[in-house]
Amino acid sequence: MSQRIKIKALLQSGETGTDVTVKGWVRAFRSNRFIALDDGSTNSNLQIVVDFENTDPALLKRITFGAAVSITGKLAPSLGQGQSVEVIASEIEILGDCNPDEFPLQPKKQTLEFLRENAHLRFRTNTFGAIFRVRNTLSFAVHQFFQEKGFVYLHTPVITQSDAEGAGEAFHVTNFDLNNVPRTDTGEVDYKQDFFGKSTNLTVSGQLEGELGAMALSDIYTFGPTFRAENSNTTRHLAEFWMIEPEMAFYDIHDNANLAEELLKYVISYALDKNKEDLEFLTQRLLEEEKQKPQNERSELSLLDKLQFCLNNDFERLTYTEAIEILRESTPNKKKKFVYPVEGWGTDLQSEHERYLVEKHFKKPVILTDYPKEIKSFYMRQNEDGKTVAAMDILFPGIGEIIGGSQREERLDKLTTRMDELGIPKDELWWYLDTRRFGSCPHAGFGLGFERLVLFVTGMGNIRDVIPFPRFPKNAEF
């Protein structure tokens, strides 16, 4: 038997006259003669021509939508439109039957809500095939970018004692019998009897541990799952998601911003090169979706144009203070069009403010720096003005913040004072403070939520549609 060849490779090669074996799932079977075959390597189906007059009728009845088949035959020039080759079948084997009356997916347009409820099957649709091929490419591109620069890929722990963000929205980890939790004499949970002997949780960030690696290896990056027990049911939040977090010794805030801009441009360019067909499909899908919206809610740029927009422009750089002044004087703010009015310095920027700066004012991606220390985390380096920290956010069209980072506070006295101000216990982070005691140096890093990146590149509107099995409040299906 001929070796199995993927459909994408067959369509790209354009060779004919050879015997081939293809395997995949039936997308359509017309006139008992033409099978549209899909194997997930591309959204383009391969046409299989069946000699129905010399094929067992019982076998023909089993060629249904969704059935898995193996087909051997000769590759021939296609007489149909849309593809250069087709396979003249000489042998058809049913690998897995699919009863069309019971199969939840039907050969028609399905709503995204329906597909989320059937996430175990949604990979078989064109939309989700395209999304997850793009996700795969972006994931590979992230690794390739850092590896080419000599970064060390560091696996930071999933189970930790620390809450890097200090938000207290972490999932607890325990092996206690929850019906019989041991208590101390004062009635508190006795964590000394727990598996790790202390209270632990799923990580919200690998940053703090990543800094430890950077203090010896210079340049490291993490790329792993993170968890937030935030009871938020929005199109932008997940309880489990993947984070890309590089940490670099001897970097300042400007080096940090340069690397982040370079990373974003690299991975977007890589996806445009490797997933041209998928991105063209997703662009067309978005255009059809936007036709249902009022004119004033439609995007000014198509998906492909938006991606090129980020590649073709140097990111605009300005301080938070400058951004606040622009927003205060903006027409939407003066006419009270913002849901969250910008009243003055110290305002925590919302997505609507970030998108205004990118899409309306500068018309290019924006890097904001030097935020008020009161609205940022304890580990960010304090600027000489005593009011701001060396923080950095990158804002993108349609999505707002896509990267958040900072130069880290390398001075022990400044860091401990800030921790005291915020009530962060120093004894629990003694290991983190040790990096400031022994050979401390300026260093910086940032976090890129991977699903947010995939959301932007695919043009999807709900973050639950760009991760294979979304986890959110009241849902851990599949």
Side-chain angles (χ1 to χ4, degrees):
M1 182 180 287
S2 303
Q3 184 179 4
R4 176 202 170 203
I5 303 176
K6 289 196 173 181
I7 289 173
K8 184 176 182 179
L10 274 181
L11 295 177
Q12 287 179 340
S13 74
E15 293 182 8
T16 58
T18 57
D19 289 326
V20 296
T21 295
V22 289
K23 299 180 182 183
W25 295 270
V26 175
R27 280 297 183 87
F29 187 31
R30 296 182 292 108
S31 308
N32 263 8
R33 188 174 183 189
F34 301 107
I35 299 172
L37 194 68
D38 165 53
D39 68 358
S41 62
T42 171
N43 266 351
S44 297
N45 299 323
L46 177 67
Q47 179 162 285
I48 311 296
V49 181
V50 179
D51 181 2
F52 67 95
E53 292 176 341
N54 295 302
T55 301
D56 182 354
L59 178 64
L60 291 176
K61 286 182 179 179
R62 294 174 65 194
I63 303 174
T64 60
F65 177 72
V69 298
S70 173
I71 293 170
T72 298
K74 193 168 291 292
L75 201 59
S78 179
L79 301 178
Q81 292 184 335
Q83 61 182 38
S84 58
V85 295
E86 61 189 18
V87 172
I88 311 300
S90 57
E91 182 182 332
I92 300 173
E93 180 185 0
I94 308 295
L95 302 176
D97 289 286
C98 183
N99 185 333
D101 296 328
E102 297 177 0
F103 189 33
L105 299 186
Q106 294 296 317
K108 63 178 183 179
K109 186 176 178 64
Q110 312 280 1
T111 67
L112 293 175
E113 290 78 8
F114 173 81
L115 292 171
R116 280 179 214 125
E117 293 169 3
N118 292 274
H120 60 305
L121 299 172
R122 66 179 179 170
F123 302 105
R124 304 189 191 190
T125 65
N126 284 340
T127 295
F128 286 93
I131 289 169
F132 291 113
R133 282 190 295 270
V134 171
R135 183 184 170 106
N136 165 70
T137 296
L138 290 169
S139 180
F140 180 82
V142 165
H143 285 291
Q144 184 162 283
F145 173 82
F146 286 116
Q147 292 296 323
E148 286 176 355
K149 289 186 170 295
F151 278 61
V152 174
Y153 179 30
L154 193 70
H155 295 116
T156 53
V158 170
I159 299 174
T160 180
Q161 285 178 250
S162 65
D163 172 7
E165 299 299 320
E169 295 173 331
F171 289 100
H172 294 289
V173 175
T174 182
N175 74 333
F176 281 153
D177 175 356
L178 297 184
N179 293 314
N180 188 27
V181 176
R183 302 277 178 179
T184 64
D185 293 340
T186 58
E188 297 176 339
V189 175
D190 187 2
Y191 284 109
K192 288 183 179 179
Q193 296 188 48
D194 206 352
F195 186 90
F196 294 105
K198 294 180 179 178
S199 175
T200 54
N201 52 269
L202 295 179
T203 186
V204 299
S205 167
Q207 178 205 315
L208 302 189
E209 293 88 352
E211 286 186 53
L212 311 185
M215 288 299 99
L217 303 169
S218 287
D219 300 326
I220 69 93
Y221 72 104
T222 75
F223 189 172
T226 53
F227 308 85
R228 301 278 170 91
E230 184 178 354
N231 190 17
S232 184
N233 245 320
T234 77
T235 59
R236 289 287 188 270
H237 290 88
L238 290 167
E240 176 185 288
F241 53 98
W242 288 67
M243 284 287 289
I244 300 149
E245 297 177 290
E247 292 291 329
M248 296 75 63
F250 316 112
Y251 267 50
D252 64 17
I253 188 68
H254 305 294
D255 302 321
N256 202 28
N258 291 341
L259 183 75
E261 179 174 349
E262 190 180 350
L263 168 65
L264 288 169
K265 288 185 173 181
Y266 183 97
V267 297
I268 290 171
S269 177
Y270 196 87
L272 282 166
D273 179 49
K274 300 296 182 182
N275 292 86
K276 185 173 183 290
E277 180 188 34
D278 290 320
L279 290 171
E280 286 174 348
F281 169 83
L282 290 168
T283 296
Q284 192 57 43
R285 180 205 154 275
L286 188 58
L287 285 173
E288 293 299 320
E289 187 180 79
E290 294 232 314
K291 286 179 183 177
Q292 314 303 317
K293 296 181 181 179
Q295 188 68 41
N296 64 329
E297 292 181 17
R298 298 179 190 176
S299 300
E300 294 180 14
L301 299 173
S302 73
L303 175 59
L304 285 172
D305 289 339
K306 192 166 59 173
L307 298 178
Q308 287 294 344
F309 168 90
C310 294
L311 297 182
N312 298 339
N313 287 288
D314 291 332
F315 296 4
E316 185 72 29
R317 303 188 187 204
L318 69 158
T319 66
Y320 165 90
T321 303
E322 291 168 331
I324 283 292
E325 192 56 35
I326 290 169
L327 290 166
R328 280 186 62 196
E329 297 301 317
S330 69
T331 300
N333 197 55
K334 288 182 175 179
K335 292 188 174 181
K336 303 188 185 306
K337 293 289 181 66
F338 285 141
V339 176
Y340 299 93
V342 179
E343 296 176 350
W345 201 87
T347 300
D348 201 353
L349 299 186
Q350 304 296 321
S351 180
E352 60 179 342
H353 308 138
E354 296 167 341
R355 291 185 59 185
Y356 173 82
L357 291 169
V358 173
E359 298 166 27
K360 303 298 182 185
H361 189 81
F362 290 108
K363 296 189 182 298
K364 61 171 70 172
V366 169
I367 303 180
L368 284 187
T369 60
D370 303 304
Y371 283 78
K373 70 176 184 179
E374 304 308 328
I375 61 174
K376 289 296 183 179
S377 298
F378 76 95
Y379 50 73
M380 297 187 177
R381 194 181 201 277
Q382 297 168 54
N383 291 329
E384 299 309 314
D385 60 15
K387 299 191 304 179
T388 62
V389 290
M392 167 204 82
D393 286 348
I394 297 186
L395 316 179
F396 260 25
I399 202 165
E401 180 195 334
I402 195 167
I403 278 181
S406 70
Q407 186 173 338
R408 314 312 190 188
E409 182 56 83
E410 84 280 10
R411 298 164 295 185
L412 181 63
D413 59 334
K414 296 279 189 182
L415 183 58
T416 54
T417 298
R418 187 66 182 139
M419 291 173 73
D420 287 340
E421 290 172 359
L422 296 173
I424 296 172
K426 297 193 291 293
D427 57 335
E428 292 183 10
L429 288 173
W430 62 270
W431 46 270
Y432 185 69
L433 295 176
D434 265 5
T435 60
R436 275 66 176 174
R437 293 188 180 101
F438 310 119
S440 184
C441 70
H443 60 290
F446 59 83
L448 168 59
F450 186 55
E451 280 71 31
R452 226 167 233 220
L453 174 65
V454 181
L455 198 69
F456 177 75
V457 175
T458 60
M460 299 302 291
N462 192 317
I463 204 162
R464 297 173 188 177
D465 294 329
V466 298
I467 190 168
F469 304 105
R471 300 290 183 250
F472 50 91
K474 305 292 187 264
N475 186 286
E477 200 70 71
F478 314 112

